[in-house]
Every structure is written in structure tokens, then in C-alpha cells.
Amino acid sequence: MDEDTFPVISVVKQAISDLSKINDGEKMVEMLLNVKRFLGTCENSAPAQEREEFSRNHYTIFLRFLVAQIGPNWVDFLTAERIELWDSFFLEGPADQAFLVLMDSLDKTGPSICLDRCVHVLERFLQKGALAEVIWQVSKQQLENNPASVLHESILGRISSFPDRLANCLQKNNKPLFYPRSYYPCLANSILDVLQRVSDSLRDGKDCSISFASQVVGKVCMQGWQKELLPVIVSRLMSLIQSDCIWQRICWRLVESVPDRWMEPVVTGLVQMALGPVVLSKLLGDLVVKNKKIQFLLMKKMVFLQCGLKKEALQSILGYLSLETSRRSLLVKVLRELLEVWSSDGVVKHSHQPQLLHINCCILICLGLLNKQEMESCKQDLLFALTSGTRLYLDSSITSVRRMGMVVAESLSRHIDLEGPGLSFQYEDDEDTVSLKALLTPTCLSQPDAAENVKKPVERSTSNSLSPSSKNPPIKLEGGTKPDSTSDSELDSDDDLIPYDMSADTELKKSKAPAYIRDCIEVLLSDDIDKVETTMSSLATLIRENTSATKEVSVELAKILLHIDDKPSVERLRHAALVALAVTDPVPVSQYVTNEFYSLNYSLRQRMDILDVLASAAQELSEEPPLAKTTWTGSSSAGSQSTGTWKAEGLTDWRKVIEERIATKTRRFTKGLSTPTQVSTPNRYHAVAGYFFFPLIQNFDRPMVTFNLLGEDRLVLGRMVHTLGILMHLALNATIASQMGKALLEFVWVLRFNTDGSAECPLEAPHD
């Protein structure tokens, strides 16, 4: 053992041994003063080496002993002076160790004298500003070769969650200083004291670290207290960085050293509290160029996703990018990405109105910040967005979305050609359109190298009509003004002309429809659109007329029809052809389509088409075949001969011929309306109902399922339940109906708690 450390160990051990069984207050004071020499705050302080040894190895142990001993045994002889001596060990020693001991004692101690004493010392600890000393001590330790990272994480957690810990411990007896609105401004002042020490150290040429202060700022902001912490720090920093380059470096390093996982709340708080782009530029400098996380937050997340940001915050972000030459390329990049998103079909259809308003605001702010050279470099992007995106907004069914698109389209057209005609729409101004137009004027930029403002033409009011003598009249796209009623317009009117009758006209077809099923297959596999449409128009009839040829290629033809392109002119014809196939050759076709329902590479639309085909085919198979239908027309009167005649739609046989002859030669005195006996025919669907029903229901819960019926594909689930109900109802009198009913009951029983309305609606039985 080192001889220099032996006196420290012996004194501390002897003091702990005597104080644990002491009953005399005067002797206790003497022993405490003997140990306090190692703190270096009294007159007869110990040598520096001994003080360092005590602080490094014995200080925490002795504080824990003092906390454990404070209790009813010491209360009787602890006067005010002696209590002050006890408190001084926590307030005058190494702040980081004292803070940890006090916070740990709160977690381990219940309501007691010890707890009251520790809370009182903590209150004095904060009032003294000792938190700055805690942060400064940890910052100095991080410069060592082997910093105690675990200890620093523990201190960081206790500093950031101090109000929550004290509230859980004290509950209704909490102190006002421990409330978040009082504690975090106090913490902000402590951080500023640490930054002041960093500034002094840099001026003296000493190394220092600011990373722990950045971690404290980041973690507090991550917990949601940036509104209590950042205003104090930002207001003080703004007064310090005006003319001091060292403070500018400290401010930039404070933000840059925040860990990436806590960077977002810090940057968001700075953006919301910065009064304009100039202030934000002084706080961040060129960090957006150097730090990828800050670049992602400012250029991606806040511009494209955080639609809750106010317009002032967006103006600060984009104005900050435009203030320095090194950052203006990022502004151009943001505008191009914004235009790409603005002209995206999916974004316009599936984004809610606040999100679209956010994107439109960002575009107009960028347009107001670009200069002529940058505008020329983006001209193609502006033109593409104007031509492809304007139509999407005008087609929207939401009035506010259409108006936003009109405002942005007008601005884009004017910035593409400053001297040419611009687009002009007729709409009523509302709050959103007025605020959007105001964004074209950039906020005041005090930097000398700020971007030159783009000269914008005078905004035309929607209520004012354009002068007929304008040099470049605007292009009207929607809601044009009413034409003047002049004599020329009356002469050019075509209201008196009689329209030509075109009711009997037929469409001229360039190609002839195939007469054979196999020829239809070849045409459907070709790329000739006209031939495909002509073939599809006659395919259903051809299938029904050539049943034998159809059965040879029914599965192949069903595969082609199922994969044919979804064109508006073909979709209805494809459904009719598939139904005709399923009716003509029900077993193989139904087996194929039910197996394909759960296969890969099918869209939800194709799967729903399969369900529609099965339901329609089952409906047709359950009905009476056309050849069995007969009708009878006739009239009779009393005393007259019947002149009724039979007309058979099916094949005529010798019995019908004889019955017609007898009916024409038979005299009847009275006769009511006679109806033929309805011919009974077997239900064609009963024999094949199982092929339609069971393959469709058996795989809904298998792992091989390629789509989530109970999740995002609930629409298909609802259609599937409806189809199964139809298939079950049509087989009501079949022998297999009981098995189908059991299977359907097991299926729908799983869905009894399903919240989707499409899967719970009652099934409507088809009408015969």
C-alpha cells in the first residue's frame, strides 16, 4: 500500500467506526471536522495528494455512511450548526458524487428523517447551482483515457429525469423547485455556466469537452421538455454569438455533439423557437452540410412529413438553406424533390389535406427564394410538375385541394416564363389560398449574400375581369368568364340546326371476329388491340355455341382471360367470357380459378373478379336452361273455335305436331287461359356445387395464403363471404348442402368479432 494514502484510509476508517457508536455531539463535530480536512474547504486542509485520494476512493463511501446514520439517534444532539456541518459534506465536495449519493438515497429511503434531510440538501444543491459543477466534472472526466461511461450514463439519467424521480418519491410533499417548469430553466442556466467555462478554457488554450452538455440537452428534449429548456439557452446564446467567433463555435458544437437518437427534438425545438432564418443560421451554421442527421431532418422529415409545423418554421428552414452559397444547392435539391412529390398521382390521391397544404407551402417558399440562375436550372422540373401535376389536383373531388393546385400551378407557370402568359384560374379565395400566395414573398433576410428575390408579376384577383387589350392574355383552364352577348355570337349559334339521327349507326370494325375457339386464343395472345376487342365482343357467344370445342381448351382459355390486360373496353367482356366458360365446362374451370385465387402474382382486382365469375356462373347453372322454356299464345271465346298455336323454342317432336293438329280441329265452348305444364329439368349446379365451394373455402387459413384476408385485404374477405353465401344458397336443395353449411358456419364463426363492415353485412339471396 502507498504510504501517502495510508493516513487517508486510517482516518476515514477510524471516523466511520467512532461515528457509528457516538453519543456525544461535541465529539461528533470533532470527528467530522477531521474528515472535512480532505475536502480542502477549511483552514487546516490536507495536502493536495491526500485530498485527491479522498475524493477518488473514499468520498462516496463516507457520504453513504452519513446518509445511513442520520436518524432518530442523531436528531437529539444535532443542532443547527452541526446540521450545517453535515450538509457541507454534500455541498462542498465533488458535486457529481454527492449528486449520485443523494439521488440513490431517495430511491432507497422511505418517508423518514433521512429522506427529509436529503431533500433539503438537494434543494440547496440546486439553489447553489451545483448542477453546473456536476456537468463540468463529467465533461472533464470524458477527456481522460478511460472515462467511466456507466457512471456518466447514470448521472445523465438522473439529471434528465430529476422532476419525475422527486415526484414519485415525495408525491404530495414535493417542493416547488423540483417541478419541471422550475427545474429545467435552472438546468438551462447550469448548462450556460458550463459553456461559459468552456469558453474561458478555450481562450486560455486548454482542451475541454462539450459532449456531456449536448447529451443533457438531447435527452431532456427527447423527454419532451424542450419548451422549458431551449428558450433560456437560445436567448442567451443569441446575445453571445453576435460578435464572438468562439461562442459561435461552441453553439455549433453543442448542437453537433447531440447523439443522433436525440437530434430530432433538439433541431425541431430550435427551428420552432428561432425567429426567422437569420437566427437559425447563426445557431446552426453550416451543420446541414456537415451532419447527415441534421440534413435528413431539415431537408426530408420536416419538409415532407411533419405537416404540423407552422409556416413560419418552414420559412425559417428554407430561408436558412438560402442564406449561404454553400447551402443554396441544397435548396435547389429540396425544390426538385418537392416538385416530384407534388406531381405524384399516389400522393395526391392518398394524402390528407393538411399534408398536401404542407407540400404546397414548401414549394411556394422555395420559389420565392430562388434567383434567376437557379430558376433556369430547375426549369425542366417546373415544367414537368406543371404539366403532370396540375391535372391531378384539378381532378380531385375536394375543393380545397383543387384550389391549392390552382395557386401552385399559377406560380409555377409565372416562374417558368417571367415575361410570357401565365395560367389563371377562377376560384374563390379562402384562408389557405391567401396564405399560400403570401408565401411567395420571402421573409426579411439581413445577410448581404442572401438570394435575390424573384420578380413576380402582380397577382390577378379572381373577381376582376381581364382587360381585352392585354398584351399577353392569360390562359383559362377552368371556369372561364361568360362571353359577351353580341350580334356575332347570335349569328354563329347552331341552336336552330336539326340533329342528325344516328340511332341506327353501327361501329365500323377493322377486323372480323374469329369463328373458332382456337383462333380466338391466338388473337388474344397477339398484340393487336383492335382484334382483341373484336374477339372479346363475340367470345362469350362463341363459347356457348361450340361447347365441345370449348371443353378441349377451357382451362387454357380461362388462364388467358384471367391474365389479359384490364382495359375498360375489355373488362366487362372478359367477365362474360369467363362466366360462359364456367357454365360450359364447370368442373375444370372452377377448379382452376379457385386454385388461382390463392396463388402468387395476382392483384386484389383479379381475385375479386374470380369471385364474381364463380357467383355469376353458379347463378346461371342453377337456372332453367334456355332450351326447356316454352310459351303459348292463343285466344278463345264462347261459341268460337280456338285459334291458339304452340311455339316451341326447343326441338319439335311428333307429339307436339299431333297436339297442334288436334287443338286446331277441336271445338271448345268455354276455355280459360291455358298454360303449358312446366317442364321439370335437373339443376345443373347441384352436381358441381362442391367444386365451386370447397376449394374456395379450404385454404383461407393456410400458411400458403399469399395475401392477408384478415388484415389489409379485408375488402376481398367481404366479397369472399358474400360469394360463399351465394354458392351456399344456390345449392340449398342439393344433397351436399349440409356439408357446405357446416363448412360455411365454421368459416364465418371465425369472423364473428371482425370489425370490418364488409365481412359482416347480411347476404342477399339471388332472386330466381
Side-chain angles (χ1 to χ4, degrees):
M1 182 179 294
D2 192 350
E3 295 181 359
D4 297 334
T5 62
F6 181 75
V8 179
I9 297 175
S10 61
V11 171
V12 173
K13 285 187 176 180
Q14 186 64 36
I16 291 175
S17 177
D18 294 341
L19 288 172
S20 60
K21 51 187 177 181
I22 196 170
N23 293 322
D24 186 1
E26 296 295 335
K27 190 175 181 180
M28 182 190 71
V29 172
E30 181 182 351
M31 292 179 181
L32 290 177
L33 289 174
N34 189 30
V35 177
K36 191 177 179 181
R37 292 186 305 109
F38 299 112
L39 295 179
T41 58
C42 54
E43 296 179 357
N44 55 342
S45 299
Q49 189 174 2
E50 294 182 359
R51 295 200 304 268
E52 183 181 355
E53 169 65 19
F54 177 77
S55 299
R56 185 172 61 249
N57 297 325
H58 305 286
Y59 180 66
T60 300
I61 297 174
F62 191 73
L63 290 186
R64 289 175 178 170
F65 169 76
L66 291 180
V67 171
Q69 290 300 313
I70 191 72
N73 296 332
W74 280 26
V75 171
D76 296 336
F77 51 86
L78 280 178
T79 61
E81 295 179 357
R82 295 168 185 174
I83 290 177
E84 181 65 26
L85 178 61
W86 188 90
D87 293 350
S88 64
F89 278 90
F90 296 90
L91 300 176
E92 298 176 6
D96 54 337
Q97 299 182 50
F99 181 72
L100 276 179
V101 171
L102 290 172
M103 293 299 295
D104 291 341
S105 65
L106 297 179
D107 297 335
K108 299 177 182 178
T109 307
S112 60
I113 298 175
C114 178
L115 179 63
D116 295 340
R117 191 73 248 157
C118 292
V119 170
H120 177 74
V121 174
L122 265 178
E123 188 175 15
R124 294 184 60 187
F125 192 87
L126 294 182
Q127 292 172 347
K128 180 186 174 183
L131 275 179
E133 187 65 27
V134 174
I135 300 173
W136 179 247
Q137 290 293 335
V138 176
S139 299
K140 290 195 300 183
Q141 294 172 12
Q142 289 186 341
L143 294 175
E144 300 176 358
N145 294 330
N146 297 316
S149 57
V150 177
L151 179 63
H152 297 169
E153 285 292 334
S154 179
I155 295 175
L156 176 63
R158 283 161 174 76
I159 290 177
S160 59
S161 61
F162 182 88
D164 296 333
R165 289 175 177 269
L166 268 295
N168 291 334
C169 179
L170 302 179
Q171 297 181 1
K172 295 182 179 180
N173 299 320
N174 202 1
K175 302 283 186 179
L177 184 59
F178 299 157
Y179 291 158
R181 298 189 183 279
S182 301
Y183 170 76
Y184 287 115
C186 177
L187 177 61
N189 290 322
S190 300
I191 294 174
L192 289 172
D193 291 342
V194 174
L195 297 182
Q196 182 64 53
R197 298 184 187 187
V198 171
S199 175
D200 297 339
S201 299
L202 292 177
R203 297 178 196 278
D204 295 339
K206 299 178 182 179
D207 294 336
C208 55
S209 173
I210 202 175
S211 60
F212 187 74
S214 299
Q215 293 175 13
V216 173
V217 173
K219 190 158 188 177
V220 171
C221 291
M222 183 271 297
Q223 293 177 350
W225 299 108
Q226 60 263 46
K227 291 183 179 180
E228 287 72 23
L229 182 78
L230 291 182
V232 180
I233 298 177
V234 171
S235 60
R236 178 60 178 162
L237 286 178
M238 285 306 302
S239 62
L240 293 171
I241 64 178
Q242 293 294 335
S243 59
D244 195 331
C245 60
I246 293 180
W247 273 104
Q248 280 190 342
R249 289 175 53 196
I250 292 174
C251 179
W252 299 342
R253 183 59 62 89
L254 178 68
V255 179
E256 186 179 10
S257 300
V258 175
D260 287 348
R261 63 184 183 275
W262 301 329
M263 183 68 76
E264 181 178 353
V266 175
V267 175
T268 304
L270 292 176
V271 168
Q272 292 175 342
M273 295 168 192
L275 301 177
V278 177
V279 176
L280 187 62
S281 180
K282 290 180 179 180
L283 291 174
L284 298 181
D286 281 341
L287 292 181
V288 70
V289 181
K290 302 175 184 178
N291 192 294
K292 296 297 182 183
K293 181 66 175 181
I294 296 179
Q295 185 179 120
F296 169 76
L297 291 173
L298 293 179
M299 297 177 54
K300 297 289 186 181
K301 195 163 188 179
M302 296 185 187
V303 173
F304 290 94
L305 300 177
Q306 292 186 354
C307 58
L309 286 177
K310 296 182 180 179
K311 296 180 178 63
E312 292 78 7
L314 296 177
Q315 288 177 319
S316 297
I317 295 173
L318 299 173
Y320 158 71
L321 296 178
S322 68
L323 284 178
E324 296 291 339
T325 307
S326 58
R327 303 194 292 260
R328 293 194 64 83
S329 59
L330 300 179
L331 178 65
V332 176
K333 180 181 178 182
V334 169
L335 176 60
R336 287 174 174 168
E337 293 176 353
L338 284 169
L339 292 174
E340 182 180 355
V341 173
W342 185 80
S343 57
S344 173
D345 187 13
V347 172
V348 178
K349 287 183 177 179
H350 304 297
S351 298
H352 55 301
Q353 193 267 348
Q355 182 71 34
L356 293 176
L357 179 61
H358 180 83
I359 298 295
N360 284 273
C361 289
C362 294
I363 292 176
L364 294 180
I365 295 172
C366 291
L367 291 177
L369 293 171
L370 293 185
N371 54 33
K372 293 182 180 180
Q373 292 77 14
E374 293 165 342
M375 199 67 67
E376 285 294 329
S377 64
C378 298
K379 194 170 183 179
Q380 292 298 325
D381 300 281
L382 296 173
L383 185 60
F384 177 79
L386 180 64
T387 54
S388 60
T390 305
R391 175 182 56 83
L392 302 176
Y393 284 85
L394 294 180
D395 291 343
S396 176
S397 59
I398 304 175
T399 305
S400 59
V401 174
R402 289 201 303 271
R403 289 175 180 171
M404 284 189 292
M406 293 176 190
V407 173
V408 176
E410 288 177 351
S411 302
L412 291 177
S413 65
R414 290 166 188 157
H415 285 81
I416 291 174
D417 189 0
L418 296 178
E419 299 179 355
L423 296 180
S424 178
F425 299 89
Q426 293 229 341
Y427 53 87
E428 295 182 1
D429 280 330
D430 56 6
E431 183 179 354
D432 290 338
T433 57
V434 172
S435 62
L436 285 174
K437 293 178 181 179
L439 294 176
L440 288 170
T441 303
T443 56
C444 180
L445 304 175
S446 61
Q447 297 289 347
D449 56 345
E452 55 186 76
N453 295 333
V454 178
K455 184 178 180 180
K456 298 172 288 297
V458 180
E459 295 288 342
R460 298 179 176 88
S461 174
T462 57
S463 60
N464 297 334
S465 60
L466 295 173
S467 174
S469 60
S470 299
K471 183 177 180 180
N472 293 316
I475 302 172
K476 299 284 185 180
L477 289 186
E478 179 177 330
T481 58
K482 296 181 180 180
D484 296 335
S485 57
T486 61
S487 58
D488 294 337
S489 61
E490 293 178 356
L491 293 176
D492 295 337
S493 176
D494 56 357
D495 294 340
D496 296 335
L497 298 179
I498 300 175
Y500 188 77
D501 185 12
M502 302 179 64
S503 58
D505 287 8
T506 57
E507 183 181 357
L508 295 177
K509 297 181 179 180
K510 298 180 180 179
S511 56
K512 186 178 180 181
Y516 301 96
I517 296 295
R518 294 189 181 273
D519 294 341
C520 294
I521 294 177
E522 294 180 2
V523 173
L524 293 177
L525 293 176
S526 65
D527 297 329
D528 193 337
I529 299 177
D530 294 332
K531 289 185 178 180
V532 170
E533 292 180 359
T534 304
T535 302
M536 290 296 298
S537 62
S538 60
L539 182 59
T541 305
L542 196 60
I543 289 173
R544 298 179 189 277
E545 293 177 352
N546 299 273
T547 56
S548 59
T550 300
K551 291 180 180 180
E552 296 178 0
V553 293
S554 59
V555 176
E556 181 182 359
L557 185 56
K559 182 177 181 180
I560 295 173
L561 291 173
L562 200 58
H563 290 83
I564 200 170
D565 293 337
D566 284 330
K567 298 187 177 94
S569 59
V570 174
E571 184 175 359
R572 181 179 58 82
L573 299 175
R574 180 184 66 172
H575 175 78
L578 283 171
V579 172
L581 270 178
V583 172
T584 303
D585 198 10
V587 175
V589 173
S590 62
Q591 288 178 335
Y592 171 74
V593 296
T594 50
N595 290 333
E596 292 300 302
F597 181 78
Y598 293 101
S599 299
L600 296 171
N601 301 325
Y602 281 97
S603 64
L604 297 182
R605 178 69 262 174
Q606 289 174 305
R607 301 181 199 276
M608 294 176 71
D609 289 343
I610 291 175
L611 296 175
D612 292 340
V613 168
L614 290 174
S616 300
Q619 176 79 23
E620 185 173 341
L621 286 172
S622 64
E623 294 175 352
E624 184 180 359
L627 292 180
K629 296 180 180 179
T630 59
T631 60
W632 181 87
T633 60
S635 61
S636 62
S637 60
S640 64
Q641 188 176 0
S642 175
T643 58
T645 58
W646 286 93
K647 297 180 181 179
E649 293 180 357
L651 296 177
T652 58
D653 54 3
W654 59 273
R655 287 190 179 86
K656 291 184 179 181
V657 175
I658 294 176
E659 289 176 358
E660 289 178 2
R661 291 178 181 177
I662 295 174
T664 55
K665 295 181 180 181
T666 302
R667 183 179 179 185
R668 302 180 185 277
F669 296 98
T670 59
K671 177 183 176 183
L673 292 177
S674 61
T675 56
T677 304
Q678 187 174 3
V679 180
S680 61
T681 57
N683 192 317
R684 294 176 295 167
Y685 173 65
H686 287 179
V688 296
Y691 296 100
F692 282 68
F693 185 86
F694 291 108
L696 186 61
I697 201 176
Q698 67 180 357
N699 292 328
F700 80 96
D701 58 345
R702 299 288 178 86
M704 67 181 68
V705 175
T706 55
F707 57 104
N708 189 5
L709 283 174
L710 299 178
E712 61 270 18
D713 300 326
R714 297 185 298 272
L715 181 62
V716 181
L717 176 64
R719 185 67 65 86
M720 181 179 176
V721 173
H722 189 77
T723 302
L724 290 172
I726 292 175
L727 298 179
M728 173 65 199
H729 177 78
L730 295 175
L732 193 60
N733 298 320
T735 56
I736 201 173
S738 59
Q739 301 177 26
M740 295 172 65
K742 292 179 181 178
L744 184 58
L745 179 61
E746 293 176 359
F747 175 69
V748 298
W749 187 252
V750 179
L751 307 177
R752 65 189 186 278
F753 298 119
N754 188 14
T755 58
D756 183 53
S758 62
E760 297 178 354
C761 61
L763 302 178
E764 295 181 3
H767 301 286
D768 294 331

